[in-house]
Amino acid sequence: RDVDVDIKGVDPVITTFDSLHDAVELAVNQEKRVTEEITELTRAAREESDLLGERFMQWFLQEQVEEVASMTTLLAVVDQAAGNIFDLEAYVARELATTGAADPSAPKMAGGAA
């Protein structure tokens, strides 16, 4: 869209955790941060009267509502499982499995096949 982009540095990857709770809590916090970033992009599009850009971002905002809710629920299930990894695994297999068709309203992947 012929707009300058400023890409900041990337945080170091965290690969070790004291508990399963800590790992999922990090994921919840990351989803919340992504939501804030997408909100800022949407706000910038609105302030620039970029209606196409704002419309494009709406799908991502809706996705983030679902992602934050899903990860927040997973964190609650982790806490409720109280260390029983088999209960957690059963929940993930039952509730988070993605066997449905692709979302037809999703933007096409950049550089991907049609």
Side-chain angles (χ1 to χ4, degrees):
R1 305 220 1 117
D2 294 326
V3 177
D4 291 334
V5 177
D6 179 26
I7 300 176
K8 308 247 186 287
V10 177
D11 294 337
V13 176
I14 300 171
T15 59
T16 57
F17 302 93
D18 292 332
S19 67
L20 186 55
H21 173 95
D22 290 348
V24 177
E25 184 176 50
L26 175 66
V28 170
N29 291 334
Q30 288 174 332
E31 290 297 344
K32 288 178 178 180
R33 187 179 75 217
V34 167
T35 300
E36 291 169 5
E37 292 169 351
I38 291 172
T39 300
E40 272 304 307
L41 288 170
T42 306
R43 184 176 291 115
R46 179 173 289 171
E47 289 172 358
E48 293 295 320
S49 297
D50 180 1
L51 301 179
L52 292 175
E54 184 178 351
R55 174 66 181 107
F56 178 75
M57 296 308 298
Q58 294 302 315
W59 184 87
F60 293 98
L61 287 170
Q62 182 58 42
E63 268 304 293
Q64 282 310 115
V65 169
E66 296 168 14
E67 292 298 323
V68 170
S70 176
M71 294 310 297
T72 300
T73 300
L74 181 59
L75 184 58
V77 171
V78 165
D79 290 343
Q80 189 174 29
N84 186 334
I85 197 79
F86 296 109
D87 285 347
L88 182 59
E89 183 179 31
Y91 170 82
V92 168
R94 182 181 67 248
E95 301 294 331
L96 300 181
T98 57
T99 58
D103 181 353
S105 67
K108 293 193 184 318
M109 183 174 23

